[in-house]
Structure formats: C-alpha cells, structure tokens
Amino acid sequence: DVKVTQSSRYLVKRTGEKVFLECVQDMDHENMFWYRQDPGLGLRLIYFSYDVKMKEKGDIPEGYSVSREKKERFSLILESASTNQTSMYLCAIGRTATNEKLFFGSGTQLSVL
Amino acid sequence: GESVGLHLPTLSVQEGDNSIINCAYSNSASDYFIWYKQESGKGPQFIIDIRSNMDKRQGQRVTVLLNKTVKHLSLQIAATQPGDSAVYFCAETDARSYDKVIFGPGTSLSVIP
C-alpha cells in the first residue's frame, strides 16, 4: 500500500510564526505535491517537486516555500504565518508515466491565531 | 470543474438506495478523470478513474460515467451504506502535464440509516 505520512494532524500557530509541515513517502516517487483545501474551493496546488532539490510553483505559492533535500521528504514552509493560511494542507505523490493517480496523506489542519 | 462557491453541494440518500453524484469539468483537453472520497478528518482516497476513450467504467458498487459532449462526469454508488457518507470530488487532468490536476469543490453525501 502507498504510504504518505504527514507529521501532524492538527497544528495551532500564532500569526508571524514560522511553520514547517512535513511529508514523507515510502514509494520512491519522484513527484510530490502540496495542496491546500478550503471549504467550497476544492484543492489548490501550492508547490510541487519532481526531484530532489527541484521545485515548481503551483497556483497559489505566495506566502509559502518548500524544501526537498531527500527524495522521500517534502516540506512546506510558512515563513510568517497569517490567519488566511488557516486551512487543511494535503501532501500527495504520484502523477508518473506509469501511474497517473495522486495518493494523498491524511492532511494537516492548521489554525493560525 | 464545477463553478466554485462557498457552499458545498449536499446529497442525502436513504441507506440501500443508489446515489448519483455529478461533476461538470471545464477543460475539453482533459483525458483522465478521477473520483475521490474524503471522510471527515482524512485525506482523499482514490475510488475510480476513467480515461476519455471510455464512456463507462465499473468498480465494486461504483460506476463512473463520462459524457464528453457536455463535459459531464458522474459517480454512481449502488446500495449506499452509512460508510459511504463523505465528501466526493472529481478531478480532471491530461497526460501531458503532471501538475495540472483540476479538482471540483466536492459534494457531501449523507446516508440516512
């Protein structure tokens, strides 16, 4: 079974804090993705990575950065958290030539106060 | 995908009845479609997929129908069970770009025992 692990299920942070969301996969996939999910808006792509140290902006990268130092780990960083970044954050892997599906982690519900 | 709004469409069905969840997709070039199920507090789970060269695909208790003429996708769940209560959303993409997955806002399915 595909395993995509997000380190925290719930996180509460204060405005201005630096926040790290971690995602680890055990499938040796090249492609990893960070989405945020807000009610009624669907999933929106923040950043993705197609290889170690490689990253590409998605549709809503503002206020976020990412790090991929090892193939299995993809981190999302909120440099200075703001209340409008309160959301469910989902990590995903997949979208390869042989498997077009996206496999998601359980998500991290982040609240910024 | 569907028109974006703040309110999640809802569907209530009696246990044992069949459910039909609809999705309008936006890109005529999309050639691969996926349905996901997301239970409360969890990440999306893959249910079934279909390619644009097919009109119908069946899985266990689920059927996906694709109408390319009107850009419409539907998910049919047979003999709906309480465990089917979740948010269901469709996703569209094309094989040329692994990052461009468009998600619908989802439909909340409630099963009445």
Side-chain angles (χ1 to χ4, degrees), chain B residues 71-103:
Chain B
K71 292 191 287 187
H72 184 267
L73 199 64
S74 69
L75 177 71
Q76 299 178 0
I77 305 173
T80 313
Q81 302 169 359
D84 295 327
S85 293
V87 173
Y88 292 82
F89 54 89
C90 63
E92 59 176 301
T93 185
D94 69 76
R96 293 167 296 178
S97 59
Y98 54 76
D99 58 310
K100 296 299 180 190
V101 181
I102 302 171
F103 294 90

Side-chain angles (χ1 to χ4, degrees), chain B residues 46 48-50 54-59 62-65:
Chain B
F46 168 86
I48 191 167
D49 56 359
I50 189 168
M54 302 172 70
D55 298 322
K56 180 180 179 179
R57 190 161 189 226
Q58 287 184 294
V62 294
T63 300
V64 55
L65 298 177

Side-chain angles (χ1 to χ4, degrees), chain A residues 59-101:
Chain A
D59 300 318
I60 51 165
E62 296 79 19
Y64 304 94
S65 62
V66 290
S67 171
R68 187 140 181 227
E69 296 298 317
K70 293 184 179 181
K71 192 174 186 180
E72 67 270 19
R73 188 180 296 269
F74 191 34
S75 302
L76 180 69
I77 304 156
L78 287 66
E79 296 289 343
S80 178
S82 63
T83 54
N84 63 12
Q85 292 179 308
T86 291
S87 186
M88 168 71 92
Y89 290 88
L90 291 162
C91 175
I93 66 172
R95 297 291 292 151
T96 64
T98 54
N99 192 336
E100 293 173 276
K101 303 180 189 66

Side-chain angles (χ1 to χ4, degrees), chain A residues 33-37 44-48 56-66 76 78 88-90:
Chain A
F33 306 81
W34 275 107
Y35 289 88
R36 65 176 281 176
Q37 184 178 31
R44 293 179 290 167
L45 181 64
I46 306 171
Y47 266 98
F48 66 98
E56 293 286 343
K57 292 180 180 179
D59 300 318
I60 51 165
E62 296 79 19
Y64 304 94
S65 62
V66 290
L76 180 69
L78 287 66
M88 168 71 92
Y89 290 88
L90 291 162

Side-chain angles (χ1 to χ4, degrees), chain B residues 14-36:
Chain B
Q14 206 72 38
E15 181 178 356
D17 287 353
N18 297 335
S19 303
I20 300 176
I21 300 170
N22 296 304
C23 177
Y25 66 92
S26 57
N27 186 359
S28 300
S30 293
D31 58 8
Y32 179 62
F33 305 87
I34 311 171
W35 277 101
Y36 286 95

